[in-house]
Amino acid sequence: MSSLSRRAGAPHRGVTRYQGHLLPGLTHAPTRSFSLAKTTGNHKERVVILGSGWAGYGFARTLDPAKYERVIISPRSYFVFTPLLASTSVGTLEFRTILEPVRRLPGKIGFYQGWADDIDFDRKTIRVETNAADDSASKTVVPGPSPPTPETTGTGMKTGPPAKTKGDIIDIRYDKLVIACGAYSQTFGIEGVREHAHFLRDIGDARRIRLRVLSLFEMCSYPRGSDTLSDADKRALLHFAIVGGGPTGIEFAAELHDLIHEDLAPMYPELMPLVSITVYDVAPKVLPMFDQALAQYAMDTFARQGISVKTQHHLQRLRLADGELGRRHGALKIKIKELGDDELGAGLVVWSTGLMANPLIAKLAGKELAGPGPNPLSGSPTTRRVLRDARTGGLLIDEHLRACTATTPAPAPNGPPSVLEDVFVIGDCAVMAADPSLPKTAQVASQQATYLAKQLNADAVGQKPFKFRNLGTLAYLGSWKAIHQGRSETLRGWVAWVVWRGAYLTKSMSMRNKILVPVYWFISWLFGRGISRF
């Protein structure tokens, strides 16, 4: 289902500062050795979880607090139900209906807001930079060549001009470690995407998109005058471009269409002929996880709604428009390979493409660890390193979700890969060595989290291998239509829309949100979507 097949992004999800490096010209804040454990007669193993996304939050939610001391480290203090981000970005739902505070997990939970700078696997210690005073942790900013700043993503990345201050550095000890630090939006190095595109992986992203859409209609509604926008300028500003034809991009285009035609059209009737929505994708078809018939149904539905779908289009550059249109109104110019030297105008570009590895993963893979013992042939000491997948950059894991390592010199030729027994990797930053084709989706992350927690609860790690069970995929197409593809059946239209809403509702984490989500759906249907700017 789409709620389970969406990228865990989202963010959603990691906990690293930009490549773990200090900022230029800054000194370390005092480093403190920090322990949450209280002195009690009943010692519990401490399980530290890096990330509060689908993998990290789901694992902490299932792990038995009576048996383990749970500690979450994340740059954000909440979990986001990412499949409903598109609904919040257009006012169908309010933002807090898809958030789950980490500190309200049942049972005693330890939480520290910050980024993991480094992990010492030999000493079982994590170095963390705190960010409790940072108010931008919900904004997606992808990795880039710029120096680090307090601008962050939901996965903890910092980019931009140098910062003046940094958080305290604390050391957190662990007995078992679960790395669930997610991944970042992939921009493929395309010029201007990091600076000018909007992402949709966290709650702050949805809020900024919502404000931008509403402000574009307001600035285009002023009466014609000597200093107002021409119709050509308004047409450019009211062009909404979505890059990426996966479920996130398609559902955002559908939700945006509903907002414009159901709520904004009666208020701005003179602007409706100037509005356009376009989905761009490099693939021959959108929604590649669906079969051809359902993907074609989605494209036909969009065509009837006036949403243009441009497949096999390669975006090459994104920049501000020339003159006052770009400086004052934020208009953008899009250069597409198939259009030659022509550039398209847009008021909003939402970027929803692939994933790239978290920089913490590369840092961990480059570390040299103490080996499991002396080489049996020579008696010399061994060393080992954590293994990465060459294609995706994620950490390799075995069938029990433990981090795989390579030992040097090898203890035995052609032997099974060694693992870090107390280090587990789940979610978007993990690649199963036996099945590297598992998708980077919330469905996979959620199932890995539940499996691992239950194995730890039963002291059964290493006995039963993880098996992914595909529960199906859903996508909303607008106007009360959706598509669903399961293992043996397909649905389309209104029936699939009912299944879509039911799936999202049942997968909401808390009873509070299971009540709030249908309440706001009903309010939006009865009174219209929220269109206030604040």
Side-chain angles (χ1 to χ4, degrees), residues 180-239:
C181 56
Y184 292 93
S185 294
Q186 174 66 270
T187 64
F188 307 99
I190 297 173
E191 178 185 346
V193 172
R194 293 176 58 248
E195 296 81 3
H196 304 302
H198 284 69
F199 300 88
L200 190 53
R201 292 176 59 83
D202 210 333
I203 201 69
D205 302 330
R207 183 174 184 272
R208 275 176 283 274
I209 289 173
R210 183 165 163 177
L211 292 176
R212 178 61 177 167
V213 171
L214 297 175
S215 67
L216 285 170
F217 277 88
E218 289 294 342
M219 70 176 64
C220 291
S221 67
Y222 295 123
R224 181 179 293 276
S226 59
D227 200 30
T228 55
L229 297 167
S230 67
D231 283 351
D233 292 338
K234 293 178 181 179
R235 193 180 301 276
L237 287 170
L238 295 176
H239 176 214

Side-chain angles (χ1 to χ4, degrees), residues 244-439:
T248 299
I250 292 298
E251 289 197 355
F252 173 73
E255 294 275 12
L256 180 62
H257 169 272
D258 289 351
L259 168 68
I260 292 172
H261 291 276
E262 294 176 9
D263 297 272
L264 300 183
M267 303 172 191
Y268 307 97
E270 73 285 356
L271 297 180
M272 289 303 106
L274 307 176
V275 175
S276 60
I277 302 173
T278 308
V279 178
Y280 296 97
D281 198 279
V282 298
K285 70 166 188 172
V286 296
L287 299 172
M289 66 291 300
F290 290 88
D291 63 31
Q292 181 62 42
L294 288 179
Q296 188 60 50
Y297 175 81
M299 295 179 68
D300 293 342
T301 301
F302 271 19
R304 288 192 295 270
Q305 294 172 345
I307 302 174
S308 179
V309 178
K310 304 289 187 182
T311 56
Q312 295 180 302
H313 277 59
H314 298 74
L315 190 144
Q316 293 181 311
R317 184 179 65 214
L318 186 63
R319 66 175 180 88
L320 279 177
D322 299 325
E324 291 294 294
L325 190 62
R327 285 192 298 269
R328 289 182 57 189
H329 302 287
L332 301 171
K333 287 291 186 180
I334 307 170
K335 187 176 188 302
I336 295 176
K337 177 182 177 182
E338 285 71 21
L339 301 182
D341 294 332
D342 293 338
E343 291 182 305
L344 299 174
L348 173 71
V349 175
V350 174
W351 192 268
S352 176
T353 58
L355 299 177
M356 61 184 292
N358 191 307
L360 176 65
I361 303 305
K363 185 173 186 179
L364 297 181
K367 297 172 67 70
E368 190 172 271
L369 318 176
N375 186 283
L377 300 178
S378 63
S380 60
T382 59
T383 60
R384 57 179 171 172
R385 58 184 178 83
V386 181
L387 294 177
R388 294 179 74 191
D389 177 60
R391 186 177 65 86
T392 65
L395 292 181
L396 285 175
I397 56 175
D398 71 353
E399 58 187 2
H400 305 289
L401 310 187
R402 298 171 297 194
C404 294
T405 61
T407 303
T408 306
N414 302 320
S418 60
V419 296
L420 294 175
E421 293 290 346
D422 293 324
V423 178
F424 306 89
V425 190
I426 57 178
D428 287 355
C429 62
V431 178
M432 188 168 288
D435 187 10
S437 64
L438 280 180

Side-chain angles (χ1 to χ4, degrees), residues 23-235:
L23 308 186
L26 296 178
T27 59
H28 255 306
T31 301
R32 298 198 291 269
S33 181
F34 196 85
S35 175
L36 179 74
K38 305 298 182 184
T39 304
T40 63
N42 183 23
H43 173 73
K44 299 178 185 177
E45 275 194 303
R46 173 183 292 178
V47 180
V48 176
I49 305 141
L50 303 185
S52 57
W54 279 95
Y57 183 87
F59 171 80
R61 185 169 177 258
T62 311
L63 190 66
D64 185 1
K67 187 170 185 178
Y68 294 99
E69 179 189 0
R70 303 169 300 166
V71 179
I72 294 179
I73 300 171
S74 175
R76 65 186 192 187
S77 61
Y78 53 84
F79 161 81
V80 181
F81 192 86
T82 49
L84 288 175
L85 271 175
S87 294
T88 64
S89 70
V90 300
T92 304
L93 291 173
E94 286 306 310
F95 300 116
R96 294 191 184 276
T97 62
I98 66 168
L99 299 182
E100 305 285 356
V102 169
R103 289 190 177 274
R104 284 191 172 170
L105 278 166
K108 187 175 181 180
I109 186 77
F111 172 72
Y112 299 102
Q113 187 168 343
W115 299 273
D117 271 353
D118 202 358
I119 301 174
D120 188 331
F121 293 112
D122 295 327
R123 295 177 55 230
K124 290 193 170 184
T125 303
I126 307 162
R127 174 148 292 188
V128 178
E129 180 193 342
T130 63
N131 79 320
D134 192 346
D135 62 357
S136 59
S138 66
K139 178 182 178 182
T140 293
V141 181
V142 298
S146 305
T149 78
E151 288 286 3
T152 69
T153 69
T155 53
M157 177 56 61
K158 300 180 178 182
T159 55
K164 296 181 180 179
T165 60
K166 71 187 261 86
D168 290 338
I169 303 296
I170 60 176
D171 289 339
I172 306 294
R173 179 191 57 79
Y174 68 85
D175 295 307
K176 297 185 187 299
L177 175 64
V178 177
I179 301 174
C181 56
Y184 292 93
S185 294
Q186 174 66 270
T187 64
F188 307 99
I190 297 173
E191 178 185 346
V193 172
R194 293 176 58 248
E195 296 81 3
H196 304 302
H198 284 69
F199 300 88
L200 190 53
R201 292 176 59 83
D202 210 333
I203 201 69
D205 302 330
R207 183 174 184 272
R208 275 176 283 274
I209 289 173
R210 183 165 163 177
L211 292 176
R212 178 61 177 167
V213 171
L214 297 175
S215 67
L216 285 170
F217 277 88
E218 289 294 342
M219 70 176 64
C220 291
S221 67
Y222 295 123
R224 181 179 293 276
S226 59
D227 200 30
T228 55
L229 297 167
S230 67
D231 283 351
D233 292 338
K234 293 178 181 179
R235 193 180 301 276

